């Protein structure tokens, strides 16, 4: 058993695009291992015009890629954004400048450094860390300071990275307790988790009273009789303990996790049987409403050694709900799951990956931890099993948490996927 690593940046969302007092700028929302925060980036006119041509974005959620690419044939940088609507999402491409690329690189560097800032001696911490992303200045003097900071940035980063490398063995020893294993190498995953979401969105809860009465805090949910709890089958799989108050979205190198969303379903037992046959386990994030309709499938997954967690009651976008509705939503899903497990539910994965501070608070109130992902297979949009298998061959699986769904294509591709991952000598884990 070991404690999981958290990803430095899980996702970046475009909040607004416009012209500020000192030029063009873009406001983004970052969901990372420590929570949610907003930043403002300066934009050059070229990148602004490219992004603006894809708008307006007023009524949509828009995710930006943190990993622009270079096109050697056209000699330009280009990047992508995913526009999410209520019934579908689309990926759009836009050209961007080297300055925009440098802004994103600085943003990624800040997120990595902030996680280890507590280990850096106080004398080496500089205001540069908190001012790295420019928010605009009303005077030439302050703009000059910003330029100096950007030029000094690589020097400061180099010093901090060197210190991080010196201290990382100590941090790894404290974070990991893998039996008979050496300290694992930490590294950033090069590929951005692709933000694609299954559709359509199920109806949201309209109000608390129509969905589930909120039990008094002093009145705990009564678990079922011990005889109702399935006897769990032991599999030789390591368990990962998720850290509290952080979003877990990757693993150390050499480890891999399979996770399945949106069940239980008619495919649950087939998926579980394939996993057991190959001697591995996975984490299942179940929708409460589906648990009511497929309780035997949920019990079967638990009895065969799988971990099951909360994926909301109805797969609604929780960030669009009120806190009261979200509280009722999570409680109702947990009540359905606890009838299967006979124990409190420890894991939560937000539908569509949509989570903010308000949702996080309600998740924490239910004593659950957030499990994200860093490899989105997009199996729900694949046309054939071969497409899904090819996806695994095109990404680095080491340290990955794969997001999949309970689909026919996934069932058909799963045996070959597991054999491929085993051939990479990766250790399979489940989450607790």
């Amino acid at each position: 058993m070991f404690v999981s690593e958290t990803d430095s940046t899980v996702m970046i969302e475009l909040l607004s695009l416009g012209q500020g007092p000192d030029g063009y700028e873009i406001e983004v929302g970052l969901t990372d291992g420590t929570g949610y925060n907003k930043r403002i980036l300066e934009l050059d006119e070229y990148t602004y015009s490219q992004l603006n041509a894809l708008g307006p974005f007023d009524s949509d959620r828009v995710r930006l890629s943190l990993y622009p690419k270079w096109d050697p044939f056209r000699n330009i940088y280009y990047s992508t954004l995913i526009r999410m609507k209520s019934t579908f999402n689309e990926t759009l491409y836009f050209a961007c400048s080297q300055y925009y690329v440098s802004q994103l690189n600085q943003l990624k560097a800040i997120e990595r450094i902030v996680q280890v800032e507590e280990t850096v001696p106080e004398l080496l911490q500089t205001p540069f860390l908190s001012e790295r992303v420019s928010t605009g200045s009303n005077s030439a003097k302050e703009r000059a300071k910003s330029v100096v900071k950007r030029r000094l940035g690589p020097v400061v980063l180099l010093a901090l990275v060197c210190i991080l490398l010196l201290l990382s063995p100590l941090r790894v020893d404290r974070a990991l307790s893998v039996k008979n294993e050496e300290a694992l190498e930490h590294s950033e995953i090069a590929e951005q988790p692709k933000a694609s979401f299954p559709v359509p969105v199920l109806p949201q809860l309209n109000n608390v009273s129509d969905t589930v009465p909120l039990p008094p805090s002093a009145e705990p949910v009564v678990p079922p009789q011990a005889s109702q709890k399935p006897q769990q089958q032991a599999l030789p799989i390591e368990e990962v303990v998720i850290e509290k108050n952080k979003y877990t979205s990757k693993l150390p190198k050499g480890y891999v996790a399979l996770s399945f969303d949106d069940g239980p379903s008619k495919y649950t037992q087939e998926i579980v049987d394939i996993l057991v046959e190959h001697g591995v386990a996975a984490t299942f994030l179940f929708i409460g409403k589906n648990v009511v309709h497929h309780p035997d499938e949920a019990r079967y997954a638990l009895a065969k050694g799988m971990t099951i967690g909360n994926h909301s009651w109805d797969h609604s976008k929780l960030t669009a709900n009120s806190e009261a509705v979200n509280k009722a939503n999570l409680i109702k899903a947990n009540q359905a799951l606890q009838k299967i497990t006979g124990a409190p539910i420890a894991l939560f994965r937000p539908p569509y990956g949509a989570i903010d501070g308000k949702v996080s608070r309600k998740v924490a109130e239910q004593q659950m931890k957030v499990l994200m992902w860093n490899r989105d297979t997009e199996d729900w949009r694949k046309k054939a099993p071969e497409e899904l298998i090819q996806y695994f061959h095109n990404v680095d699986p080491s340290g990955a948490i794969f997001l999949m769904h309970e689909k026919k294509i996934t069932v058909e591709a799963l045996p070959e996927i597991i054999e491929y991952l085993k051939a990479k000598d990766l250790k399979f884990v489940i989450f607790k």
Side-chain angles (χ1 to χ4, degrees):
M1 182 183 295
F2 60 87
V3 179
S4 67
E5 239 183 320
T6 52
D7 202 8
S8 58
T9 298
V10 176
M11 58 191 69
I12 176 173
E13 186 173 353
L14 188 158
L15 301 178
S16 65
L17 178 70
Q19 189 165 8
D22 296 297
Y24 298 106
E25 59 185 35
I26 180 174
E27 184 181 22
V28 297
L30 288 174
T31 303
D32 57 25
T34 59
Y36 177 83
N37 60 86
K38 297 180 181 180
R39 293 185 185 276
I40 296 178
L41 308 179
E42 292 179 346
L43 278 185
D44 56 279
E45 184 174 1
Y46 175 70
T47 304
Y48 170 80
S49 64
Q50 293 289 317
L51 276 169
N52 194 48
L54 301 178
F57 305 114
D58 300 337
S59 59
D60 304 325
R61 293 185 66 226
V62 178
R63 291 227 181 121
L64 291 168
S65 170
L66 270 171
Y67 299 89
K69 293 179 172 56
W70 172 252
D71 183 344
F73 299 102
R74 293 185 292 170
N75 290 320
I76 61 169
Y77 284 100
Y78 71 93
S79 190
T80 59
L81 60 82
I82 298 177
R83 184 203 298 263
M84 290 162 282
K85 296 180 178 292
S86 59
T87 56
F88 72 95
N89 62 66
E90 59 180 339
T91 301
L92 302 175
Y93 293 83
F94 63 94
C96 56
S97 67
Q98 186 171 356
Y99 178 69
Y100 176 75
V101 174
S102 69
Q103 289 277 75
L104 293 183
N105 287 338
Q106 290 183 14
L107 192 62
K108 288 184 288 185
I110 292 172
E111 296 304 314
R112 287 194 295 270
I113 293 170
V114 166
Q115 286 194 330
V116 298
E117 198 174 4
E118 292 181 359
T119 68
V120 179
E122 185 177 353
L123 291 175
L124 293 177
Q125 295 185 16
T126 71
F128 175 75
L129 290 175
S130 61
E131 298 172 8
R132 186 74 169 275
V133 180
S134 175
T135 58
S137 169
N138 293 325
S139 69
K141 182 177 179 181
E142 289 188 8
R143 290 178 63 83
K145 286 182 181 179
S146 177
V147 171
V148 171
K149 288 175 182 177
R150 284 198 294 269
R151 292 179 178 175
L152 289 177
V155 177
V156 177
L157 276 177
L158 181 60
L160 290 172
V161 168
C162 291
I163 293 168
L164 171 60
L165 290 174
L166 290 173
L167 294 175
S168 60
L170 298 176
R171 292 173 57 81
V172 173
D173 289 341
R174 288 197 300 269
L176 304 176
S177 57
V178 184
K179 283 187 178 180
N180 301 320
E181 291 291 329
E182 296 179 357
L184 298 172
E185 177 186 356
H186 286 241
S187 66
E188 281 298 315
I189 299 297
E191 182 195 40
Q192 181 202 23
K194 296 178 182 177
S196 300
F197 309 101
V199 292
V201 180
L202 296 176
Q204 296 185 9
L205 302 177
N206 295 321
N207 55 68
V208 177
S209 59
D210 290 339
T211 57
V212 57
L214 297 178
S217 56
E219 183 181 337
V221 177
V222 179
Q225 297 297 319
S227 60
Q228 292 179 280
K229 182 179 178 180
Q231 186 64 38
Q232 191 164 354
Q233 175 175 325
L235 288 172
I237 303 296
E238 294 200 52
E239 297 177 353
V240 178
V241 178
I242 294 181
E243 295 181 73
K244 290 183 179 180
N245 304 319
K246 291 188 177 181
Y247 304 160
T248 296
S249 59
K250 75 172 184 180
L251 294 166
K253 303 296 281 187
Y255 290 80
V256 67
L258 301 178
S259 63
F260 296 87
D261 282 12
D262 297 357
S265 70
K266 63 181 181 180
Y267 298 113
T268 303
Q269 185 168 336
E270 284 186 83
I271 293 172
V272 170
D273 286 344
I274 293 170
L275 293 166
V276 173
E277 180 183 350
H278 289 79
V280 301
T283 302
F284 288 76
L285 290 309
F286 286 155
I287 296 172
K289 185 181 292 187
N290 291 348
V291 172
V292 173
H293 294 294
H294 297 279
D296 291 339
E297 286 81 355
R299 290 190 184 94
Y300 189 81
L302 185 67
K304 293 296 183 178
M306 311 300 150
T307 294
I308 64 177
N310 185 328
H311 195 42
S312 83
W313 168 254
D314 58 357
H315 208 277
S316 63
K317 187 170 72 174
L318 302 184
T319 52
N321 296 341
S322 69
E323 291 195 54
V325 168
N326 282 338
K327 181 177 180 179
N329 191 311
L330 296 176
I331 288 175
K332 192 172 183 181
N334 276 348
Q335 287 175 339
L337 286 165
Q338 285 175 203
K339 289 181 180 178
I340 305 299
T341 64
I345 304 303
L347 299 181
F348 172 74
R349 175 174 284 171
Y352 313 108
I355 189 167
D356 56 19
K358 293 187 295 183
V359 176
S360 294
R361 283 193 294 273
K362 295 305 168 188
V363 172
E365 284 178 9
Q366 300 304 312
Q367 304 300 309
M368 292 189 293
K369 305 168 187 176
V370 178
L371 174 64
M372 302 294 277
W373 64 89
N374 62 351
R375 294 289 185 275
D376 186 352
T377 65
E378 296 187 345
D379 53 352
W380 53 273
R381 69 162 69 192
K382 298 289 191 288
K383 303 298 183 184
E386 292 75 20
E387 290 184 42
L388 181 56
I389 293 168
Q390 188 59 43
Y391 168 85
F392 281 81
H393 286 267
N394 291 337
V395 299
D396 178 9
S398 182
I401 300 174
F402 285 101
L403 168 62
M404 293 187 281
H405 299 84
E406 299 192 16
K407 302 290 183 182
K408 183 175 184 293
I409 283 177
T410 306
V411 173
E412 294 171 349
L414 189 56
E416 189 168 337
I417 289 170
I418 295 174
E419 288 303 319
Y420 173 74
L421 296 175
K422 280 187 169 183
K424 293 286 187 180
D425 199 27
L426 298 172
K427 294 180 176 66
F428 287 77
V429 301
I430 55 176
F431 296 92
K432 293 292 184 180

